[in-house]
Amino acid sequence: MAAQVVSVDLQEAVSRSVEALRDEMIAWLQDLVRIPTVNPPGENYTAAAEFIGSKLASFGYDTHYIAAEELPEHTPQHPRVNVFGRMEGSTPRPALHFNGHFDVVPVGDGWTVDPFGALIRDGKLYGRGVSDQKAGIAASIFAIEAIRRAGIRLHGTVEQSGSVDEESGGFAGVAYMARQGWIGKDKTDFVIITEPSNVDSICLGHRGVYWFKITTHGRIAHGSMPHFGISAIDQIGDVLHDVTHRLKPVLATRKTAAPVEPPGSRYASINVNSVFGGQLEDGTQTPCVADRSGAIFDRRFLAEENFDHVREEIRSMLEDLRSQNPDFRYNLEDLMIVYPVNTDPDCELVTTISSSIETILGRKPRLTASPGTYDQKHVVRIGDVAQCIAYGPGILNQAHRPDEYCLIEDVVNSAKIMALTAMQLLGASPATGTR
């Protein structure tokens, strides 16, 4: 496949159409932000899916609701419902799929505006999840509608999906849809995940993730006679010491060649997510030596690192502690493993959207990689779709922060870029003309 050259007349027509849709698009985005789809626990997913699906149906998509019924997180209290829309052109292929997740992280403290009020002030739309990443959903849906309203028809097929649980791994969202065949190389050619990319950047992939839990086991005894016990907390303390003073300095010397942003995240890293053990802080205390303790770790690894070595590095550290202390007993449990992904910067999708960004914004885009992961891992690893990127409005460093906002102008410009990219990838012509 080769991207089609879109005439200046069609480009200008679509840009004018996006501008004409500005108020309608932003008002719809405000209403989407006002649905508090907080994860955890996964609130209001059905309402958000139906809100998105209703708009897709009104814009001419064949719309489906996809519930992750086989998964334990799909419950009557918090159903995991995704929405999928397909608009087939004169041919089923090529097919361009836009995906955005509509779950948002908890609000947190420090807000000076209503996190679900969708306030507009000084050209900014405020709200939890507006940058990460409901603005992207609005931009992609209205980008394609702008093409239709400009009197232009696409030759290939467009798909749009709104998915759940990206913030907790995406397993009931994009992963589930890929496993069920809604996204896959047999039907999907290009995927744009509308995560925030500062409007002028293209994210090619992300680092790897290894979440694991270490549990240490001691022997309970009276707190006034600790010499009769073995403190599991002391043991996890030794683990934490070695992670900080032995492992972290080594990881700080490993740097990826991938353009991860921010630059400080180009190094391998490890973080302690949580520490547990002993008696509950707010419970009634009794004098006991803790016989169980542990910690959960977040290890980010690079494309240049072999995962088997990453895991063995942890186990070797633990075995060294056991060799020094015969009472040291532990369990190492894998919680989540995500391998790095990186899309070819010279592929058709990347070069086409790069050209669109330069056309609309007048500057070349930056090619980046994400410090964390997002649903590209499922598109590539499960769906086996190689041409997948993240691109969308929103300021990346606004994600998960108080007073999160997105610039309205970024939403508009992203919609123009997505529309132009869709026309180039799928082919386009005036609706009254001939192909």
Side-chain angles (χ1 to χ4, degrees):
M1 293 178 290
Q4 174 180 306
V5 176
V6 176
S7 70
V8 173
D9 287 346
L10 290 187
Q11 291 179 28
E12 292 178 349
V14 168
S15 287
R16 290 194 300 269
S17 186
V18 171
E19 289 289 351
L21 279 168
R22 174 190 292 254
D23 291 345
E24 182 181 343
M25 175 170 60
I26 297 305
W28 186 83
L29 173 57
Q30 285 180 285
D31 287 341
L32 181 59
V33 170
R34 291 178 180 127
I35 303 173
T37 47
V38 178
N39 178 25
E43 297 173 347
N44 300 303
Y45 282 179
T46 300
E50 291 177 348
F51 180 78
I52 296 168
S54 175
K55 180 58 67 178
L56 290 175
S58 73
F59 284 171
Y61 291 80
D62 182 16
T63 305
H64 306 267
Y65 296 97
I66 306 164
E69 295 177 346
E70 296 88 349
L71 301 185
E73 53 265 48
H74 176 77
T75 66
Q77 295 77 23
H78 298 106
R80 265 49 187 175
V81 180
N82 306 279
V83 60
F84 179 98
R86 179 178 174 87
M87 184 188 298
E88 191 164 311
S90 57
T91 61
R93 308 287 288 272
L96 169 62
H97 185 104
F98 289 99
N99 166 262
H101 71 88
F102 55 75
D103 62 313
V104 306
V105 297
V107 170
D109 296 328
W111 286 76
T112 64
V113 299
D114 180 351
F116 297 110
L119 170 71
I120 293 177
R121 184 172 63 197
D122 299 328
K124 302 173 182 176
L125 199 167
Y126 289 85
R128 172 53 84 221
V130 64
S131 268
D132 187 15
Q133 49 115 145
K134 291 179 176 180
I137 297 173
S140 67
I141 290 174
F142 280 85
I144 304 305
E145 177 63 7
I147 295 172
R148 187 186 70 83
R149 294 196 194 182
I152 299 168
R153 59 185 176 189
L154 293 170
H155 301 171
T157 294
V158 177
E159 296 173 345
Q160 306 265 3
S161 64
S163 56
V164 303
D165 281 6
E166 188 276 340
E167 299 291 1
S168 53
F171 301 106
V174 170
Y176 185 80
M177 288 194 291
R179 286 197 171 93
Q180 296 297 312
W182 295 93
I183 302 170
K185 68 176 182 178
D186 60 335
K187 66 183 293 292
T188 313
D189 297 289
F190 313 105
V191 176
I192 297 175
I193 298 175
T194 58
E195 291 277 8
S197 65
N198 302 334
V199 82
D200 63 352
S201 299
I202 302 166
C203 187
L204 301 178
H206 53 71
R207 297 187 297 173
V209 182
Y210 177 37
W211 279 8
F212 60 93
K213 179 167 68 174
I214 297 172
T215 305
T216 55
H217 303 279
R219 184 171 65 237
I220 194 168
H222 199 288
S224 68
M225 297 173 284
H227 51 281
F228 286 130
I230 298 172
S231 173
I233 292 176
D234 287 350
Q235 294 178 341
I236 204 65
D238 292 339
V239 174
L240 295 171
H241 178 275
D242 275 16
V243 165
T244 299
H245 298 286
R246 172 180 166 182
L247 184 56
K248 281 188 176 182
V250 173
L251 300 185
T253 67
R254 301 176 188 167
K255 185 178 181 180
T256 184
V260 177
E261 293 290 340
S265 293
R266 294 179 184 176
Y267 298 86
S269 64
I270 189 167
N271 179 64
V272 184
N273 281 6
S274 65
V275 179
F276 56 90
Q279 300 174 53
L280 295 177
E281 179 184 359
D282 57 356
T284 300
Q285 296 292 308
T286 57
C288 290
V289 174
D291 61 354
R292 183 178 179 275
S293 185
I296 295 175
F297 297 85
D298 178 350
R299 168 75 159 88
R300 301 293 166 135
F301 63 98
L302 314 177
E304 294 85 349
E305 294 184 281
N306 177 275
F307 174 70
D308 290 339
H309 178 264
V310 168
R311 182 194 275 150
E312 181 55 34
E313 198 168 37
I314 302 300
R315 189 173 296 279
S316 176
M317 181 188 70
L318 295 169
E319 287 298 310
D320 283 352
L321 286 171
R322 185 158 66 175
S323 69
Q324 298 164 24
N325 177 7
D327 290 329
F328 184 83
R329 294 189 299 124
Y330 73 91
N331 291 114
L332 173 61
E333 180 184 354
D334 297 345
L335 300 180
M336 182 170 68
I337 301 166
V338 174
Y339 291 90
V341 295
N342 187 43
T343 295
D344 181 357
D346 296 320
C347 74
E348 184 181 359
L349 175 58
V350 175
T351 58
T352 300
I353 197 168
S354 295
S355 172
S356 299
I357 291 171
E358 191 168 1
T359 297
I360 300 301
L361 300 182
R363 57 184 183 270
K364 291 183 180 295
R366 294 181 305 119
L367 302 182
T368 68
S370 174
T373 72
Y374 54 97
D375 282 331
Q376 184 171 349
K377 58 184 176 286
H378 302 312
V379 172
V380 173
R381 299 290 182 184
I382 302 173
D384 199 21
V385 180
Q387 296 200 54
C388 177
I389 60 166
Y391 172 78
I395 302 168
L396 182 59
N397 66 16
Q398 280 293 308
H400 301 191
R401 296 179 65 175
D403 286 353
E404 179 182 350
Y405 69 85
C406 183
L407 295 169
I408 289 174
E409 200 62 30
D410 283 358
V411 183
V412 175
N413 282 329
S414 287
K416 292 177 181 179
I417 290 163
M418 292 173 182
L420 179 54
T421 300
M423 290 193 295
Q424 290 174 316
L425 290 173
L426 304 181
S429 59
T432 56
T434 58
R435 287 184 172 84

